[in-house]
Amino acid sequence: MSALFEPYTLRELTIPNRVWMAPMCQYSAAPDGPEAGVPHDWHFAHYAARAAGGTGLILTEATAVSPEGRISPYDLGLWNDTQVEAFRRITRFLVAQGTVPGVQLAHAGRKASTAQPWKGGEPVGADAHGWTPLAPSAVPFKEGHVVPEELTVEQIREIVGRFGDAARRALAAGFEVVEVHGAHGYLVNEFLSPHSNHRTDAYGGSYENRTRFALEVVDAVRAVWPEDKPVFFRISATDWLEEGGWSVDDTVRFARDLQAHGVDLLDVSTGGNVADARIPTGPGYQVPFAARVKAETNLPVAAVGLITDAEQAEKIIANGEADAVLLGRELLRNPSWARHAARELGGEVRVPDQYHRSV
């Protein structure tokens, strides 16, 4: 059997294959009012198509734990029960197709309140449904961006509680995996990196202080998430700075801390916290970071980043570089990528009865 299409079990949850969908924002929810942050027909069709195409696990886009935690005013959220009810429609369908539904919980920090990418992605103000972002320190993401409001300790504790509340709602919505978004320059990542965290209190300075918020968030999520279901953590393994940033050595060290706090898998990405970082992209360019964590710790990992063809994905799993692959753009191009890859590699995926004529 193809390694890519072997089932994978974490705690008591078995995922039918190692082809997983990475979180990708759709920027398509209502920006305000009672429908703010609520998934609708676009989101249902988007996720349903990838489930029908054989994807083993689907992680939703970055789903905000509070209104001010959205990347844009058009992001999804899990801060109220209206959102829970709408997500149930999606998770029911995914489960019916044999796909595991997962949710990525997020707070955008200083990169919040921006326009949709196809409208430039720059910060927006109150006249475009925007707000003042929050961050560990009053340091903007880049020149020309809004200076964020530095969080007080009381506000930090409130956000930690928001993650726990959102995880509780995620369970009620039918999700079976929850992932804490600690990557790409958003709030958790901002605390981790000395590039963006200039605090001098218990949440800044030393490695132990800079990782405190992330571990408190993980603890809040794990406290309400069932013991038989896994918790993931997405990390940017490096800021791509020679000095003064978060490094792969930090990531390996932190992976052990996360595992001790109940995290079951590290979703390994890179970058996003330094606006002008030079990133040498290419096919599978982030896989070595996942491979290093897997080689030096006992924490399972998933690899992501320009993984596009079946043979490439198969080798990553077969060579032991990662336990699963997360596809992004390739699944946007081809919702049935998993089914096509299974045919190429001799693996098997569940095919909906309605699509049997296509096998």
Side-chain angles (χ1 to χ4, degrees), residues 35-252:
E35 293 299 308
V38 176
H40 53 70
D41 287 350
W42 173 265
H43 303 92
F44 179 87
H46 172 64
Y47 294 118
R50 279 82 195 163
T55 308
L57 165 71
I58 288 177
L59 288 167
T60 65
E61 65 178 79
T63 301
V65 300
S66 63
E68 65 276 7
R70 291 172 292 174
I71 301 167
S72 84
Y74 301 91
D75 288 8
L76 296 182
L78 262 175
W79 64 79
N80 65 43
D81 293 339
T82 301
Q83 295 156 347
V84 170
E85 289 299 320
F87 270 119
R88 279 188 182 135
R89 179 189 177 209
I90 294 172
T91 59
R92 278 196 302 266
F93 186 86
L94 267 56
V95 170
Q97 304 311 307
T99 296
V100 173
V103 61
Q104 185 188 70
L105 300 181
H107 191 297
R110 66 179 182 172
K111 294 175 77 174
S113 188
T114 59
Q116 295 152 309
W118 52 87
K119 294 183 178 179
E122 291 300 306
V124 295
D127 59 338
H129 313 286
W131 59 93
T132 301
L134 303 169
S137 303
V139 180
F141 174 58
K142 63 181 180 180
E143 187 176 349
H145 276 218
V146 177
V147 176
E149 176 186 326
E150 183 169 310
L151 288 161
T152 66
V153 171
E154 182 179 352
Q155 287 174 311
I156 290 171
R157 290 171 180 163
E158 180 184 349
I159 293 172
V160 169
R162 291 274 198 163
F163 272 92
D165 292 342
R168 190 181 293 108
R169 289 192 177 96
L171 184 64
F175 288 104
E176 297 181 34
V177 171
V178 63
E179 175 173 273
V180 173
H181 196 352
H184 301 159
Y186 300 120
L187 186 63
V188 175
N189 189 187
E190 291 164 19
F191 270 94
L192 293 175
S193 174
H195 176 77
S196 46
N197 184 347
H198 299 174
R199 300 177 73 95
T200 57
D201 62 3
Y203 289 95
S206 68
Y207 166 89
E208 289 78 10
N209 285 357
R210 286 183 285 107
T211 59
R212 187 183 309 279
F213 174 69
L215 293 177
E216 288 180 349
V217 166
V218 167
D219 288 346
V221 169
R222 187 76 265 181
V224 301
W225 200 247
E227 281 295 313
D228 62 346
K229 297 183 186 296
V231 170
F232 293 3
F233 189 98
R234 174 164 258 199
I235 196 163
S236 283
T238 175
D239 282 337
W240 294 101
L241 291 174
E242 292 185 6
E243 58 182 28
W246 183 263
S247 71
V248 65
D249 290 337
D250 293 324
T251 295
V252 171

